Amino acid sequence: MHVRRALPFSRSRKSGFSLIEVMFATAIVALLFMAALSALYMHRIQAKKYQERAVVLDFATHYIEHLKGLPFSDLQPGSPINPLYDGQDGAPDIRVPTTDDWVSLSSDDFETFHPELVLLEARNPEISVSMTTTLDGSREKTKHVRVRIRWDSPMGKGRRMTAQLDMTRFVDV
């Protein structure tokens, strides 16, 4: 017969985790979860920035394309960008600004001209158009138009967003 002797201070070990191990594992999982949420939040902000930049560049391209369609002599500060947008008979009044000051794009005229600007309405979008002319003697030779647009960044994260398009027109021959 074989008798087994128990040691005086021995305990039988049960399988499982101690409280400290569980807390440590929970902390690691919580950190990973927070990192994933942070990455998703930053991705959302970046996606919104790209979407807004695409809308602004599309608007600026649309604006400049109308300026390209004007005869060279009609491309003047204060003139409508197209005869259709002269503000007559309920049409939108879209003009080349007379100064290069910032003008709000949050208006019915601009939103009728380019409906996607509604996406930026809460971001305080503004446009600045500057025009410089080079002369050949006393005759105008070229006109350089710079269209700059700025707006508040999405979700208040970061500085103001900006976009710029340039166009140079040469005298019609």
Side-chain angles (χ1 to χ4, degrees):
M1 198 154 131
H2 185 324
V3 177
R4 196 170 140 156
R5 221 166 92 165
L7 296 173
F9 294 107
S10 71
R11 289 189 266 174
S12 64
R13 175 123 173 129
K14 294 181 182 178
S15 62
F17 300 103
S18 70
L19 181 61
I20 292 176
E21 291 170 329
V22 169
M23 289 177 64
F24 188 70
T26 303
I28 290 173
V29 169
L31 281 172
L32 292 174
F33 182 74
M34 294 306 284
L37 279 181
S38 177
L40 287 173
Y41 181 70
M42 292 307 290
H43 175 73
R44 185 174 171 211
I45 290 172
Q46 278 304 112
K48 191 75 171 159
K49 283 182 179 181
Y50 288 137
Q51 178 191 25
E52 290 176 358
R53 183 170 296 281
V55 167
V56 165
L57 289 175
D58 189 46
F59 165 79
T61 302
H62 190 193
Y63 189 90
I64 281 185
E65 288 299 321
H66 280 284
L67 295 178
K68 285 180 181 178
L70 288 175
F72 185 82
S73 59
D74 290 351
L75 185 55
Q76 300 291 332
S79 66
I81 64 167
N82 184 305
L84 295 174
Y85 299 111
D86 62 359
Q88 301 296 317
D89 300 323
D93 190 10
I94 310 292
R95 298 180 177 275
V96 177
T98 55
T99 65
D100 61 351
D101 293 336
W102 292 97
V103 176
S104 176
L105 289 175
S106 296
S107 71
D108 290 338
D109 288 333
F110 281 111
E111 289 171 5
T112 301
F113 172 71
H114 197 79
E116 288 181 348
L117 284 175
V118 172
L119 295 173
L120 293 172
E121 194 170 40
R123 306 257 186 279
N124 189 26
E126 298 174 312
I127 186 171
S128 171
V129 180
S130 60
M131 186 180 307
T132 54
T133 304
T134 58
L135 301 174
D136 184 17
S138 62
R139 228 178 94 212
E140 291 181 331
K141 182 179 177 184
T142 64
K143 292 182 182 179
H144 180 80
V145 179
R146 173 168 286 160
V147 176
R148 294 179 298 155
I149 301 170
R150 67 182 183 188
W151 67 101
D152 296 333
S153 62
M155 298 175 206
K157 300 296 180 190
R159 58 181 192 224
R160 293 198 81 179
M161 307 281 295
T162 60
Q164 173 180 309
L165 286 180
D166 293 293
M167 172 191 83
T168 301
R169 285 280 311 269
F170 295 91
V171 67
D172 299 331
V173 228

